[in-house]
Structure formats: C-alpha cells, structure tokens
Amino acid sequence: MMEIFFPMVDVFSVYTTKNPATGQINLLQMKIPFSLTATLCKEPDNQTWAGEFILLGLSSDWDIQVSLFVLFLVMYLLTVLGNILIVLLIRLDSRLHTPMYFFLTNLSLVDVSYATSIVPQMLVHFLAKRKVIPYVSCAAQLFFSLGLGGIEFVLLAVMAYDRYVAVCDPLRYLIIMQEGLCTRLAIISWVSGSTNSLMQTVITFQLPMCTNKYIDHISCELLAVVRLACVDTSSNEVAIMVSSIILLMTPFCLVLLSYIRIISTILKIQSTEGRKKAFHTCASHLTVVALCYGMAIFTYIQPHSSPSVLQEKLISLFYAILTPMLNPMIYSLRNKEVKGAWQKLLGKFSGFTSKLTTG
C-alpha cells in the first residue's frame, strides 16, 4: 500500500462536528494540503500498467550496438545449433539411450528455449531506435525466462542424483534409474520451475506501478520489473528469496550432498584408472553445475544487497548466451561417449557424401 502521511487531526471530532444553524452533521470538515491532494489524484494512475515498456539495454551508442548484434547473433546461432545437435545425436545413437543422456536432452531443450526467450528480442532492440516491448510480451518473457531457469536448477540436481547412483551403486544403476523414474523426475523439474514462475509473474504484475516505464535491463528480468513499483516491495523480495531457497538453494544442497558422497566413493577406489574413470563420469556435470549455480545464488538470494544494474545485465547475458552455448561443448569435449558418437556420426556422413560424389 502507498503510505500517505496526514497532519495531526482529531479524526473523531472531525466526523462528529454538528452545524449549529441547520443541525446537520458534517461528515468531514478538513482541508487536505495541496501535496496530499496531488498524491491522491495521482494514485489511480499508479494502479495501472503501461501498455508497453522501454528496455534501456546495454548501450545507446549505435556502433557498439551493431557490434554487439553481430557478436550475440553468432553466439545465439552456435547455441541453437549445438544444443539441437546434442539432442539429435542422443536420439540417433542407441548407445546414448541411458538415463544420463535422457536428462541431458532435457537440459539442452531448456538451454535453447531459455536463450530463445531473451536473445531474439535483444537482437531486434540492438537495431531499433525505440527499444519497446509490449506489456504482454514483457510478462511472457518474464514467465518463460524465470521458469526455464528454475527448471534448469532442479534438473541439475536430478542429474547429480543420477551420477550419485551411477558411481555409488553401479550394479543397481539400471534397476534404480528406470524409465518411469526418469520421466517422473523430468516432469517434476518442468512443473516446479513453471509453477514458481507463474506465481512470481502474477505477483509481480499485480504491483501498482508508477508512470516510469523504462526498464534498465536487457530483458524483463524479475528484479528489474519489481523496481518499477511505486510501493514497498518488501513482500515481493521475501517471495523472491523464498522461491530462491526452494528452487535454487535446495537443489544446490542436494548437488553438494551427492558430490560429497561421490567423492568419498571415488577416493575409496583402489586403482588409479578406476578413480579417473569415475571422475570423468561426473566431470562434465560438475562443470555445468559450477557455471549455473554460482551467479544465480549471487543474484537472487539477497535482493537487498544485489549487485549493480550493470552486473545484473552481465549476469543475465551469462545465462542467456554463454552458459547455453558452453554446455554442449562441455559435454562434447569432456565426455568420451559423446565424442565417440560424434565420430561415428561424422564417419557415416562422410561415407554418405563420398558415395554421392562417386555415384
């Protein structure tokens, strides 16, 4: 609620003042100061959202924006290509039809979707004079980006559990990680992230907004939109922190517990070769976990002591561009099974092209 400070007035006497001449009871005989009148007159405008918002983006310099357009376009195309190729490779190679690569397929779909929820709009704005985003598009962008981010955090915890079973209980791995369980864990990841995002989006867009429609960010990011409110947003910040604990810190703690058990199991392996093999099983996932969880904890756990606006923009770019682009490379370069599948696929492709040229 908006705070209005009244002068020191005896409210009861004001409401019970009687006119001696007519005998009528005057309900209110109080002059409201001009500043208060102006505030009250302005309040209805604050209760409605603007039809559109303007994103300030990274820079207003045209040359810089063109350079960023080219850079981020290349990175976005690499992101889409890399993640789609990972999904296709897993589908085409029967050796990769295991629980680990089922979850990796989900991770690749989340990454390419997350990048697509932010980057195309950003690319358009780099070449536009007015960086306008409609109200509905802003709400949709917030919902999808926040939801896909939450899905990824839960999914990484699920993948940590998969690695825990693979290393700590390898003989029962296929019995425990059956198709039904894998499907349920994937569904839990998607539903939990989407539900949290829906609640946060609804709560945020119910806030009364001031006339300011400028969002100092590259996208309709949660904290940037909340800052537009002309009311106390303490309850929203508490809701953000609670959801961060549920969808960020809880999965992160599960990942830590899983890897503590994994490391203790690896250290008990007698042979050096066995330890290396067990470590390489988890190396790719551990690298992705370090990339994804670190900056998210830095950004969302303590909104009051959050980083500067520029840092928030760079963190958003990190998640929208860099992480989705690096994940396929990490799993391709650090995973022998994926590298073997790539070599097999490229061998088939080169054989097919040589037949076409000779034929």
Side-chain angles (χ1 to χ4, degrees):
M1 293 179 63
M2 183 171 60
E3 295 182 355
I4 302 174
F5 296 95
F6 287 87
M8 296 299 292
V9 178
D10 187 348
V11 178
F12 182 78
S13 64
V14 169
Y15 276 91
T16 59
T17 300
K18 181 182 284 189
N19 190 326
T22 61
Q24 275 187 318
I25 295 176
N26 297 320
L27 294 179
L28 181 63
Q29 290 184 341
M30 180 177 69
K31 290 183 179 180
I32 301 175
F34 172 78
S35 60
L36 179 58
T37 307
T39 306
L40 290 173
C41 293
K42 185 180 177 183
E43 185 176 0
D45 292 336
N46 290 344
Q47 303 300 324
T48 58
W49 283 82
E52 62 183 22
F53 300 100
I54 297 176
L55 296 169
L56 298 183
L58 290 171
S59 174
S60 58
D61 184 88
W62 174 252
D63 293 332
I64 294 176
Q65 290 187 84
V66 172
S67 301
L68 291 175
F69 172 83
V70 175
L71 173 64
F72 291 146
L73 177 62
V74 172
M75 295 177 72
Y76 175 65
L77 293 176
L78 288 174
T79 298
V80 174
L81 180 63
N83 283 284
I84 289 177
L85 285 176
I86 284 286
V87 173
L88 291 176
L89 183 68
I90 293 171
R91 294 292 297 172
L92 293 174
D93 197 314
S94 59
R95 294 176 299 176
L96 301 181
H97 293 176
T98 62
M100 174 183 172
Y101 295 105
F102 168 76
F103 295 127
L104 179 56
T105 300
N106 280 266
L107 182 64
S108 294
L109 292 174
V110 169
D111 281 339
V112 72
S113 300
Y114 184 83
T116 303
S117 71
I118 294 177
V119 179
Q121 178 73 56
M122 185 173 61
L123 293 175
V124 170
H125 282 177
F126 279 138
L127 303 181
K129 290 184 178 180
R130 292 186 73 245
K131 304 178 190 334
V132 175
I133 181 169
Y135 169 88
V136 175
S137 299
C138 184
Q141 186 178 67
L142 176 59
F143 169 74
F144 284 110
S145 60
L146 187 62
L148 290 163
I151 292 166
E152 180 156 355
F153 293 134
V154 179
L155 194 58
L156 287 173
V158 170
M159 295 174 75
Y161 173 71
D162 171 74
R163 293 299 82 205
Y164 161 74
V165 177
V167 173
C168 299
D169 199 357
L171 297 179
R172 299 177 62 239
Y173 175 69
L174 294 177
I175 298 173
I176 296 173
M177 301 302 294
Q178 294 181 1
E179 183 178 352
L181 177 62
C182 294
T183 303
R184 287 194 296 272
L185 291 173
I187 291 173
I188 289 171
S189 302
W190 285 85
V191 171
S192 58
S194 301
T195 303
N196 171 69
S197 178
L198 180 61
M199 290 190 297
Q200 291 287 354
T201 303
V202 171
I203 292 171
T204 300
F205 280 86
Q206 282 184 343
L207 287 171
M209 292 291 139
C210 297
T211 54
N212 179 23
K213 60 180 181 180
Y214 292 90
I215 300 176
D216 193 5
H217 212 276
I218 62 170
S219 65
C220 290
E221 194 265 346
L222 180 60
L223 295 177
V225 176
V226 168
R227 276 194 287 265
L228 294 181
C230 54
V231 293
D232 182 18
T233 58
S234 299
S235 59
N236 292 78
E237 291 172 355
V238 170
I240 292 171
M241 190 168 69
V242 170
S243 68
S244 299
I245 292 172
I246 295 172
L247 281 180
L248 183 58
M249 290 307 298
T250 302
F252 180 66
C253 290
L254 293 175
V255 170
L256 282 180
L257 289 174
S258 297
Y259 273 100
I260 289 171
R261 294 293 302 274
I262 288 170
I263 291 171
S264 64
T265 302
I266 290 174
L267 293 177
K268 292 176 183 177
I269 298 175
Q270 299 296 324
S271 65
T272 306
E273 187 65 28
R275 285 198 296 268
K276 285 183 179 180
K277 184 178 179 181
F279 176 75
H280 282 297
T281 302
C282 307
S284 300
H285 178 257
L286 194 57
T287 305
V288 173
V289 165
L291 285 173
C292 289
Y293 278 105
M295 288 193 178
I297 293 172
F298 180 65
T299 305
Y300 287 105
I301 283 300
Q302 294 181 332
H304 277 295
S305 59
S306 58
S308 67
V309 174
L310 178 59
Q311 286 176 319
E312 285 184 6
K313 293 178 183 180
L314 295 177
I315 290 169
S316 293
L317 284 174
F318 178 83
Y319 282 110
I321 295 281
L322 196 59
T323 302
M325 184 184 72
L326 290 178
N327 284 353
M329 298 180 186
I330 292 170
Y331 277 100
S332 297
L333 296 176
R334 299 185 67 103
N335 192 298
K336 292 182 179 180
E337 292 175 333
V338 175
K339 285 193 289 186
W342 278 122
Q343 292 171 356
K344 181 181 176 182
L345 185 63
L346 291 174
K348 288 183 178 180
F349 182 75
S350 60
F352 178 73
T353 52
S354 62
K355 286 182 180 179
L356 287 178
T357 53
T358 54

